[in-house]
Amino acid sequence: MVMYNPTRTTSYPSDPITKGLRYHFLGGGEEVGNIGCVIEDKSKTKLLFDYGLSPSKPPKYPAAAPKVSDTIITHAHIDHIGMVPWLNSSFSTKLHATGFTAEISKLMWNDCYKVSKIEGYPLAWDKIDAEESQSAWNIHEYNSINELNEWSWCLRKAGHIPGAAMIDIQTPEKKILITGDFDTRNSRLVEGAKPQKCDTLFMEGTYGGKDHPNRKEEEQRFLRSVEKVVENKGTVLIPSFAMGRSQDILMILQDSDFDLNIHYDGMGKTITKTMLNHPETILNPSALKLAFGNSKKVSSKSDRKKALDADVIVTTSGMLEGGPAIWYLNRLRADRRNSVFITGYQAEGTGGRMLLEKSRLPIYGNITQIDLETKRFDFSTHAGHKELVEFAKATEAENVILYHTDNKTARPQLSKSLNELGINVHSPMNRQTYIID
């Protein structure tokens, strides 16, 4: 874990660049999450893309950023925006993103601050920094051209979640594409990303070496599994990420052959309302509106007690790290007719990972055995190995920088596949400087 205060010297070099493109990962170069990268060319145009933290236990923080005038944020997950308030308070940096990402950032920062206080881990920023950062946002539409010194750039749809964007940059010498978190496949919620021709591609590789199952087949397996539990008079608890996954789940459940009694709890409710205010970011706004409207929103203690008799409970947190999901699980675990369906990535050290591997997890400080059926479903909105390789090939990039990927497992397999296509693959490490001529 990298801890620092606002006076810590950055690892980014201060000497001018005389040729090529310089890039330097403050975090996320050799790991999933914790993203922050500075790029610069000889025109002295410098840009930071993303600046997040990994909400693990303990959290991981990127190295201190250098002074930058402009930062582009690809999307609103905390591992991409979690350190932005520090950045803005230190340098009055201009922040650039889609309208949805900018609007939802306040909620995400407030939640990050709240969790940090509950868990007792330090943040390099406070609530005032987060509030003041709201005025630093510059809102951009997809495909709208912007200027930064001698560079021009625009945002392209990235799939993944609403508001997520790839960054398409034209410098005097190079065409650069930065994917952020992306997926080329459509989900229920968003349209998939389309490759853009470029010379240099910064590509996330979270699922290098791993392919996803067929989405429609996985949805059907999920629905039949839900219906089986309901037929047996049980309740399905679905811990879900508030941003993206919970909305996907609500829409999938609409296709059930049963008239399901669905209760929706947690921060996802507020996020869904914000999504509906930005229909341009959603593949099928009417489908989301219908699914959200058909769910019973939990907003009080009495609502929560009523939800225990529901067919399905969709709630945060997605990794079973606190939130209403733990409250529900503690009360549902005594009846073996109930089930827990995991629909998202479970990081090492989280309650969700422990439940999958050991059938137990911490509940209010006590390691508790869970004797319920626990199933896992793959509804990832990150590109799988096949999609990553096809995307890189379609961009015709000469150089591909792989980041946001596990350096020991995912990246070596993805590098091998790209090398076989004749692509120059770069595997950056954090706090190291590289130049592409």
Side-chain angles (χ1 to χ4, degrees), residues 46-101:
K46 182 166 61 178
L47 175 72
L48 171 66
F49 68 85
D50 290 339
Y51 201 43
L53 60 85
S54 290
S56 51
K57 289 186 176 180
K60 285 194 271 186
Y61 302 86
K67 184 176 182 178
V68 287
S69 62
D70 294 82
T71 296
I72 303 178
I73 302 300
T74 60
H75 66 289
H77 279 149
I78 208 67
D79 59 332
H80 293 255
I81 66 166
M83 284 299 297
V84 168
W86 176 87
L87 185 71
N88 182 251
S89 68
S90 300
F91 306 125
S92 298
T93 303
K94 297 175 186 174
L95 308 177
H96 304 271
T98 61
F100 176 78
T101 295

Side-chain angles (χ1 to χ4, degrees), residues 29 49 53 62 64 67 82 110 120 123 131 139 151 153 166 195 207 221 235 245 260 279 286 331 338 357 360 391 407:
F49 68 85
L53 60 85
K67 184 176 182 178
N110 286 344
L123 278 176
E131 290 169 3
I139 307 305
W151 297 2
W153 63 273
M166 302 188 294
Y207 278 86
R221 185 172 77 90
T235 295
R245 189 57 43 81
L260 296 172
S286 61
R331 283 153 182 80
N338 302 326
E357 294 178 349
R360 58 180 185 269
F391 184 89
N407 192 43

